[in-house]
Amino acid sequence: MKGNFDYTGKLVKFMLRRERIIAAIWIVVIVIFTVALAPGLEAMFPDGEARENISLMYDNPIMVSMMGPIYEIDGEYTTGGIYAGMMLLWVMISVAVMNIFIVVRHTRADEERWRAEVIRSLPVGRLANINAAMLTALVINAILAITTGLGLAVAGVESIDFAGSMLYGAVLGASGLAFAAISAIFCQLSASTSGAFGLSFLALGGSYMLRAAGDVGNEVLSLISPLGLAQRTKVYVENDLLPLFALLIITIALSALAYKLNSMRDLGQGFIPARMGRREAKKSLLSPFGLSLRLLKNAIIVWVISMLLLGASYGSIIGEIDRFVGDSPEYLTLVGLSPEILELLSEQDKADMIVDGFGSFVTTMMTLIALVPLLMFAMKPKSEEVDGRAEGILSRSVSRPKYLAGYVIITFTMSLIMQLCTALGLYGAAAANEVNPFVLEKLLAANFVYLPALWLIIGLAVLIVGVFPKAGGVVWGYYGFICFMALIGNIPDLLPAWVANLSPFKFIPEIRVTSFDLFPAAENSFAPLIVMTVIAITLTVIGFIGYRKRDLMTH
């Protein structure tokens, strides 16, 4: 090992300098989001009865599969335990995404852009670059863990104590490092940046699904997942350190494997060889649109199948939803139903209305998931530009608007396809029940009504690509805000009305997805949909104008 890590320290300083702005934004946003919500939860659930009600709301297979279990102390729920149960998983996923970007950007991406070759031409160790990337991730995660823990400790919530808060921060850091190590392995296996990102995010999705299956079934599956293992620390309840130590040991083992693989392969190569291309290109590749479709084809196929399967997974349990959630007032509030109205209904009508509310809630959540690939597709021209590939295309007789239009057309088209997949997945799986509670045309309408909101966010992404290409983080920050509002927006008095109105999802009309018609549906105004569509068109046009006029970014 002598000499393999030479000049690691200098590379760590260099990487931290490159990450100083992006990492600072990640840390500030995560800490503010984490700390600011704690006092609000205490105000919402001031006594044991309120805390028990919200816990019972989440104590059903659907919510547990989405968010994980909520633990109790001697049969009583605390604000800290509820807070960790509701928040820890989603914050860990955000930290995992941050670490995936850090490691891939400083290893595989630098190799693909030939930066690593320049560094390796200097007297640095063979493992210095990957070691520096992992140490950079360690420093950033340590800062995040300490600031989050201290922030929660001083939040002034009785059951959110210092020890539990520091453990909360440590769990975030440890889970982040685990996915940094996983990403480092995939950077050795894949021969491309896109492949490394794809495999890393696939591992994150697989970890989430393993945890979901384990939390509602065999707990061993949850222990296999880094996310599930981290949740077993039972923060603010038992503060069990054993899962944390186990996660750190696994991280060290995964990191050692990544180092070993890095020492065995050639620079710029991967253990999974790139597939040989055709001898001659297809005619479709002779157009910008054909090239865009070819670059996005694999991602499109994966996401279409994923949306169908995810929709089917929720549709398959729709027949038991009324038994799972009962008549919890908090759950009914979350899905937008009124407990007072349900008291007037028969048991069958009540079950139908709960199914209707749940279907609408799942449609919202699935739309949020669909936004991820749509934003990735819309932002693809920027990554192609930064990597220098767009320059080679635009240097020929290809107009910039025509080049950008290929990605934009695909993105807008995929917004329609993704919503269609959600509706078909839900309806198809629910059809396996004796009685399918969904009405297909209503389910389609409930999904398609989100299209103007999706188009507005896509338009914002096109605007960023065309006019402010260095501000790509704004798009993902706004997406995070929309997710946050969708999860807690129906909880009354938590946030001011003007904050909720910043999310386009706030203005989506309510459309019932079942045949329940005992009460007339509320009159919905579709005027906001027209306004959002006009705004989306305007943002897109401005993005095209800006892209045509500005200079290209290159690496």
Side-chain angles (χ1 to χ4, degrees):
M1 300 296 288
K2 183 178 180 180
N4 278 338
F5 300 100
D6 288 352
Y7 291 95
T8 293
K10 291 186 179 296
L11 286 176
V12 170
K13 292 180 181 178
F14 176 59
M15 291 180 183
L16 286 174
R17 179 175 175 79
R18 289 174 59 190
E19 288 290 331
R20 66 189 186 281
I21 297 177
I22 297 177
I25 293 174
W26 272 103
I27 292 173
V28 169
V29 170
I30 291 174
V31 171
I32 291 177
F33 175 78
T34 302
V35 176
L37 194 59
L41 282 179
E42 185 181 38
M44 288 173 56
F45 315 119
D47 53 43
E49 182 179 356
R51 290 192 289 268
E52 184 176 359
N53 287 337
I54 191 67
S55 300
L56 291 174
M57 180 189 85
Y58 283 101
D59 189 19
N60 65 80
I62 297 163
M63 299 306 296
V64 169
S65 67
M66 286 184 177
M67 308 182 72
I70 295 179
Y71 298 103
E72 56 187 275
I73 303 176
D74 298 329
E76 295 185 2
Y77 294 97
T78 65
T79 302
I82 295 173
Y83 176 82
M86 294 176 63
M87 295 292 298
L88 183 58
L89 175 64
W90 298 104
V91 181
M92 283 195 297
I93 291 174
S94 300
V95 175
V97 171
M98 177 188 73
N99 280 273
I100 290 172
F101 276 107
I102 290 173
V103 173
V104 176
R105 184 161 50 236
H106 291 291
T107 54
R108 174 53 63 183
D110 277 356
E111 289 188 36
E112 194 169 275
R113 296 170 184 172
W114 302 109
R115 292 171 178 167
E117 185 177 20
V118 175
I119 294 175
R120 285 281 292 274
S121 66
L122 301 172
V124 300
R126 183 179 182 86
L127 300 177
N129 195 70
I130 186 174
N131 191 42
M134 293 300 296
L135 289 176
T136 299
L138 175 62
V139 171
I140 293 173
N141 281 278
I143 295 173
L144 174 65
I146 293 172
T147 52
T148 301
L150 292 177
L152 286 172
V154 300
V157 180
E158 182 179 355
S159 57
I160 298 183
D161 57 5
F162 180 81
S165 297
M166 297 310 295
L167 177 59
Y168 187 104
V171 168
L172 293 183
S175 61
L177 287 175
F179 283 98
I182 292 172
S183 299
I185 292 175
F186 288 131
C187 287
Q188 315 313 313
L189 299 179
S190 176
S192 66
T193 302
S194 60
F197 274 126
L199 291 172
S200 299
F201 282 114
L202 184 63
L204 177 58
S207 178
Y208 178 85
M209 297 306 293
L210 267 178
R211 178 216 53 82
D215 286 347
V216 298
N218 187 352
E219 190 170 358
V220 174
L221 297 177
S222 293
L223 297 177
I224 297 174
S225 164
L227 298 175
L229 181 59
Q231 284 187 305
R232 267 50 189 180
T233 53
K234 301 180 181 179
V235 180
Y236 298 123
V237 178
E238 294 183 7
N239 291 336
D240 189 356
L241 297 178
L242 184 60
L244 177 64
F245 291 142
L247 187 58
L248 291 174
I249 293 173
I250 293 172
T251 299
I252 293 172
L254 293 174
S255 300
L257 176 60
Y259 284 31
K260 179 63 176 178
L261 294 175
N262 185 264
S263 68
M264 296 167 58
R265 68 174 180 86
D266 293 331
L267 189 67
Q269 301 299 312
F271 284 93
I272 301 176
R275 187 168 60 89
M276 295 293 292
R278 288 173 171 266
R279 193 176 190 87
E280 296 181 359
K282 292 182 178 180
K283 290 184 179 180
S284 61
L285 291 177
L286 299 179
S287 68
F289 178 82
L291 176 61
S292 304
L293 185 60
R294 175 64 183 85
L295 292 175
L296 298 176
K297 181 184 70 173
N298 292 339
I300 289 173
I301 294 173
V302 169
W303 277 103
V304 165
I305 295 175
S306 298
M307 295 302 290
L308 284 169
L309 293 178
L310 192 56
S313 67
Y314 288 114
S316 64
I317 60 173
I318 200 66
E320 303 292 329
I321 183 62
D322 59 313
R323 181 175 64 83
F324 286 157
V325 305
D327 56 357
S328 165
E330 289 79 14
Y331 181 85
L332 298 176
T333 298
L334 186 66
V335 299
L337 299 179
S338 170
E340 291 77 13
I341 291 179
L342 291 187
E343 291 178 358
L344 306 175
L345 303 178
S346 66
E347 290 300 319
Q348 182 58 48
D349 290 335
K350 182 188 297 185
D352 291 342
M353 199 167 185
I354 289 176
V355 169
D356 192 279
F358 175 75
S360 299
F361 178 72
V362 169
T363 295
T364 302
M365 296 298 104
M366 293 286 289
T367 301
L368 290 173
I369 296 174
L371 255 177
V372 174
L374 295 178
L375 290 179
M376 293 173 63
F377 297 161
M379 300 293 287
K380 182 66 173 178
K382 177 193 170 185
S383 63
E384 291 293 296
E385 185 179 342
V386 172
D387 291 341
R389 292 186 286 268
E391 185 177 9
I393 297 172
L394 296 175
S395 64
R396 304 181 68 83
S397 57
V398 177
S399 68
R400 291 193 184 189
K402 190 175 182 180
Y403 174 74
L404 181 61
Y407 292 100
V408 173
I409 291 173
I410 291 173
T411 304
F412 278 101
T413 303
M414 283 302 300
S415 66
L416 177 65
I417 294 175
M418 298 292 270
Q419 296 303 95
L420 177 63
C421 289
T422 298
L424 293 179
L426 281 167
Y427 184 83
N433 297 314
E434 293 182 4
V435 178
N436 188 346
F438 291 133
V439 177
L440 181 57
E441 54 267 28
K442 291 185 177 182
L443 194 57
L444 290 170
N447 279 272
F448 290 156
V449 78
Y450 281 92
L451 287 175
L454 295 178
W455 294 340
L456 187 150
I457 302 167
I458 294 170
L460 175 62
V462 176
L463 174 70
I464 294 295
V465 170
V467 182
F468 309 105
K470 294 184 179 180
V474 172
V475 177
W476 293 106
Y478 187 52
Y479 169 74
F481 169 78
I482 294 172
C483 292
F484 175 73
M485 292 307 305
L487 288 171
I488 57 91
N490 285 330
I491 299 178
D493 303 324
L494 184 60
L495 292 172
W498 68 268
V499 176
N501 291 337
L502 293 176
S503 171
F505 282 31
K506 177 70 174 179
F507 304 98
I508 299 300
E510 179 182 353
I511 297 180
R512 287 178 174 163
V513 297
T514 69
S515 58
F516 179 84
D517 58 0
L518 186 60
F519 294 122
E523 288 191 17
N524 293 313
S525 173
F526 290 88
L529 302 183
I530 299 175
V531 173
M532 285 190 284
T533 302
V534 172
I535 294 175
I537 294 173
T538 303
L539 294 175
T540 303
V541 170
I542 295 174
F544 270 88
I545 295 173
Y547 192 74
R548 182 173 63 86
K549 292 184 176 182
R550 71 170 174 84
D551 293 331
L552 291 179
M553 296 190 307
T554 60
H555 63 287

